Amino acid sequence: MTARVGVVTFPGSLDDGDAARAVRIAGAEPVRLWHGDPELHGVDAVVLPGGFSYGDYLRCGAIARFAPVMETIVDAARGGLPVLGICNGFQILCEAHLLPGALTRNQHLHFRNRDQVLRIESAGTAWTNAFQPGQEVLIPVKNGEGCYVADTATLDQLEAEGRVVARYVGGNPNGSQRDIAAITNAAGNVVGIMPHPEHAVEALTGPSLDGLGFFTSVLKHLVGAPA
């Protein structure tokens, strides 16, 4: 049976269509989820896409965190549902307290848009098992508020528990502490990443095909998950 991966659309979402396309290219069925509908319609995993949900008012992701669909996703994620938050989706996961820390204004105060090398630090998550630890990938980054911050105790805990999923290599585009580009929760089913793997799944439009591994990883995870 083909896996069904939900892609949420919030008011102001920008990359929901790209995320759905990446899901389809990976071999799954994309299912469009609406922010105002709490039903997940039987999906096996969820992607929270990039963009500017609710216009980034208050804080990035602060309003989206209270969307009806997020109430269901938070409960499901705590029960093991794989959830990937990309850029604005990462911000939403932090606001929803599914991931620790916060994403703040880039230290240089400029929007940064470039192809970025990342080093995969953890291949033990639902979204990164297609990679090898230490593998370098090339994925676009585009953000104005992508600076990951947390208190020292939280950063040390993420390091000690192997929950830093990816780091920036060859220059930090936003000033994120410890060059962190992606993190996971303790269970490994929830991942937040600031760069955009959905923009690196086709040779025609991306700088590489390296982003596809995030989407094929969750399919592999689902095959191995208990029924």
Side-chain angles (χ1 to χ4, degrees):
M1 183 181 296
T2 302
R4 304 175 78 244
V5 179
V7 178
V8 179
T9 297
F10 299 97
S13 289
L14 176 66
D15 299 311
D16 45 338
D18 296 71
R21 182 174 179 82
V23 166
R24 185 168 61 251
I25 291 171
E29 176 189 351
V31 178
R32 305 304 289 265
L33 302 177
W34 185 241
H35 68 105
D37 180 2
E39 296 296 324
L40 298 186
H41 303 284
V43 300
D44 303 300
V46 167
V47 177
L48 303 179
F52 307 91
S53 60
Y54 297 90
D56 281 349
Y57 288 111
L58 299 183
R59 291 185 311 276
C60 299
I63 299 177
R65 175 257 182 275
F66 292 102
V69 74
M70 281 305 300
E71 295 182 17
T72 311
I73 288 171
V74 167
D75 288 341
R78 288 174 176 156
L81 180 77
V83 179
L84 177 67
I86 304 170
C87 196
N88 187 224
F90 189 1
Q91 295 162 340
I92 295 168
L93 290 176
C94 290
E95 290 287 343
H97 305 297
L98 286 174
L99 294 174
L103 285 307
T104 63
R105 189 78 181 271
N106 292 352
Q107 280 191 346
H108 44 67
L109 305 182
H110 296 287
F111 190 93
R112 186 64 76 231
N113 182 5
R114 72 187 193 197
D115 296 333
Q116 176 68 47
V117 178
L118 307 178
R119 183 174 64 249
I120 303 297
E121 301 282 14
S122 173
T125 80
W127 298 93
T128 56
N129 60 65
F131 301 104
Q132 296 296 320
Q135 182 176 346
E136 293 189 356
V137 298
L138 182 65
I139 292 175
V141 64
K142 53 175 190 177
N143 61 75
E145 286 147 320
C147 178
Y148 181 76
V149 298
D151 60 78
T152 300
T154 297
L155 292 169
D156 289 345
Q157 182 180 22
L158 290 172
E159 300 273 15
E161 296 178 358
R163 291 169 54 193
V164 175
V165 172
R167 296 185 205 270
Y168 299 112
V169 175
N172 185 326
N174 45 44
S176 288
Q177 292 178 320
R178 305 192 188 183
D179 296 329
I180 289 174
I183 62 171
T184 185
N185 65 341
N189 62 302
V190 178
V191 169
I193 181 169
M194 184 48 56
H196 288 261
E198 79 280 15
H199 294 329
V201 298
E202 294 181 288
L204 179 63
T205 57
S208 73
L209 302 181
D210 294 343
L212 192 59
F214 289 88
F215 300 96
T216 58
S217 286
V218 76
L219 304 188
K220 180 180 176 183
H221 170 81
L222 291 171
V223 168

